[in-house]
Structures are given as structure tokens and as C-alpha cells.
Amino acid sequence: MEEKIKKLKEILKSYESVIVGFSGGVDSTILCYFAHLVLQDKFLAVTANSETITTAELEEAKKIAETFKWPHLIVESDELKYVEFTNNPKDKCKWCKDIRFKQIIKIAEQKGYRYVASGDNIDDLQDYRPGLKHAHSLGIKSPLLESGITKNEIYSLARELNMPNCNKPANPCLASRIPYGIKITPENLKMISDAEKFLKELGYSPVRIRHHNNLARIEVDKSKIINFVSFHADLVIEKLKEIGYTYVVLDLQGYRTGSLNEVILENNEH
């Protein structure tokens, strides 16, 4: 791990100045930490705000940046204006990255930063990531990935450095809960956000609501399924129907990241 951190610092030093796309997740937090450590005032964290993230996620990003005294800029990113994104094709993440990173690249050019970087790690190469491939085509750097740092090592580093989000589960944008081909709208993003917020308040974290139009497929940790069925099923059904779902089902495979990509990966489409 020491060798990987040494390599990361060398890569960041070679940039001379960098903007990091900062979501408030553990990966980008670790990258911001080391970018600030190495480059000091030649570093800027930029967070994109849009309807695809919750208010709580944005506030957490602000708080982390304030805690570490990072220079931090929030930009508005409206992916919902673009049919390439809202039509929800299999490569929608490519279009999201295109919209967000082109905006950040423009900021880098205006403010004199040499590079823009994101918090991708080596494990991201194992999943379907059209956005990552497109980001690299735009010249976006992935220093954690280049250093060979894994997701588990990032969490270990976060705990070692006592990061406030060191135990935070992965939490990609709300649009990632919607199966490909189902249109992304402000209304269904809000339904997902409200449903997940309610489940987290009941103690289910991590949790996912997979939005199949009028059906909510709930993913909770397998170890909590019995508790869910025994104590909260009726309450959850009532609340999610109030939110707007007609059918509420529990996925017996439990919580897992990227479950909507399983068909793509099985068919080797990536």
C-alpha cells in the first residue's frame, strides 16, 4: 500500500495543478485529500449538483470540503435537459460524464488548472462503465486507478485517516436505480429518493430502490431480509404506495451494487 500511495503522490505532483470531480463519496474524498496534500492551492474540488443526487449528498460534500478546508466549487448540472440521458440508453453514464466533465474542463481552462481528475479505482474496470471510458477520451485523469488502488484499500485509507464518510456505502446517482429504457424524469427520481430516505430512517443502509415504473424492487442486506419481512414489510408497502408505487417487492438476492448491469455483464456486452 505504501508503494501505491507513493505512486499516487508522484502522479499528482506531475499534474502541477488539478480539479477533482468531488461527489462526496469515499473515492473522490480520498483523491481530494491527497491532491490537496500534494498540490495545496493548485487543487480545486468541484461538485456537480443536479436532480440525480439528493440534497443530503450535496450537503455532505459541502461539509467534508469545509472540514478539510478544501477550495470547493459547486456547479449546476442539468442532465435532464438532454434526451441522450433521459431516454436512459445503456450508455447514459457516458452522456452524464460528457455534460459534467466538459463543464469542469471549461472551468479548468478559465482558472488555469492543467488537468481534471476523477476518483475511479482499479475495481471499476470490472463493471460496466461507459462513463469511465468516455471520461478518459475527454482527457480526464484517474490517478487512483493508475496507482492500482482497490476499493477495499480506499476504505482502509479512509478509516486510517478518520474520514467522516469512511464507512459510507457506495451511492451512485439516483438514475442508476432505473432500468435501461425507462425514461428518467424528475418525478421518478423523487420517488426513488423519498423511498430510499424512508428505508434508511428504518435502519436499512445500504439500500436500493430499483424503479421498474410502478413497481419498486427493494434491495437490502441479505442479513436484514428476515427482519424486514417480520417487522417492516407492511409499513414499507404502505409508505411506498403513498409515494406512488403500485407494487412493492423485496429482492431475495439482497443488496448489491450495479444489479441493473447484470444482464449486460452476463451477455458480455461491455
Side-chain angles (χ1 to χ4, degrees):
M1 193 60 212
E2 286 180 12
E3 284 300 312
K4 291 183 181 182
I5 292 173
K6 181 182 176 184
K7 184 176 181 181
L8 175 62
K9 289 178 178 178
E10 288 171 353
I11 290 169
L12 290 167
K13 187 176 180 181
S14 73
Y15 292 169
E16 296 181 6
S17 62
V18 69
I19 291 179
V20 173
F22 175 52
S23 67
V26 183
D27 297 351
S28 59
T29 300
I30 286 292
L31 181 55
C32 284
Y33 175 86
F34 282 102
H36 186 239
L37 182 71
V38 172
L39 296 170
Q40 295 294 309
D41 62 350
K42 301 296 183 183
F43 150 77
L44 174 66
V46 173
T47 300
N49 180 36
S50 88
E51 289 181 271
T52 63
I53 68 167
T54 64
T55 303
E57 289 287 304
L58 180 63
E59 291 305 314
E60 185 173 15
K62 286 182 186 177
K63 189 173 180 180
I64 291 169
E66 288 171 5
T67 298
F68 289 102
K69 296 181 171 56
W70 296 335
H72 186 212
L73 180 65
I74 296 167
V75 296
E76 297 301 317
S77 178
D78 195 355
E79 298 86 11
L80 300 189
K81 286 183 178 178
Y82 299 87
V83 295
E84 295 91 344
F85 180 77
T86 58
N87 284 344
N88 200 6
K90 290 177 182 175
D91 65 348
K92 72 169 178 289
C93 291
K94 165 187 170 181
W95 295 104
C96 178
K97 296 290 187 186
D98 189 79
I99 295 159
R100 292 188 179 190
F101 278 125
K102 281 182 178 176
Q103 188 177 6
I104 297 175
I105 288 168
K106 191 175 289 187
I107 293 168
E109 290 170 350
Q110 291 169 347
K111 294 183 176 290
Y113 290 88
R114 286 192 67 197
Y115 294 106
V116 175
S118 65
D120 318 295
N121 64 75
I122 198 75
D123 290 343
D124 288 326
L125 298 178
Q126 306 305 313
D127 198 359
Y128 175 63
R129 290 282 193 272
L132 174 59
K133 187 180 292 186
H134 186 66
H136 287 169
S137 76
L138 296 174
I140 306 302
K141 301 294 186 180
S142 297
L144 295 174
L145 190 157
E146 289 179 47
S147 304
I149 297 175
T150 68
K151 189 75 170 179
N152 284 339
E153 288 169 335
I154 287 168
Y155 272 101
S156 294
L157 272 172
R159 286 189 289 269
E160 187 179 317
L161 295 167
N162 200 28
M163 295 289 182
N165 59 355
C166 63
N167 294 313
K168 180 182 179 181
N171 194 29
C173 84
L174 296 171
S176 68
R177 277 71 153 168
I178 304 172
Y180 301 115
I182 295 177
K183 195 170 179 65
I184 299 167
T185 67
E187 292 76 21
N188 58 27
L189 292 173
K190 187 177 187 306
M191 286 172 69
I192 294 163
S193 176
D194 289 349
E196 289 193 357
K197 182 174 182 287
F198 177 72
L199 285 160
K200 286 174 182 175
E201 289 169 354
L202 290 178
Y204 296 100
S205 181
V207 64
R208 290 286 185 273
I209 295 290
R210 305 300 184 184
H211 180 98
H212 301 263
N213 286 320
N214 63 345
L215 182 149
R217 174 167 59 87
I218 303 169
E219 295 177 10
V220 298
D221 192 276
K222 281 184 98 171
S223 66
K224 294 186 175 182
I225 285 177
I226 293 175
N227 183 79
F228 183 98
V229 173
S230 301
F231 300 105
H232 292 132
D234 290 340
L235 184 64
V236 171
I237 290 167
E238 180 182 353
K239 179 64 177 179
L240 267 59
K241 285 192 172 187
E242 181 184 309
I243 287 169
Y245 291 104
T246 305
Y247 304 103
V248 180
V249 302
L250 181 64
D251 190 324
L252 297 182
Q253 292 185 78
Y255 165 81
R256 60 225 186 264
T257 59
S259 73
L260 295 179
N261 290 334
E262 288 169 355
V263 173
I264 291 173
L265 294 170
E266 283 174 6
N267 295 333
N268 201 27
E269 295 179 31
H270 69 302

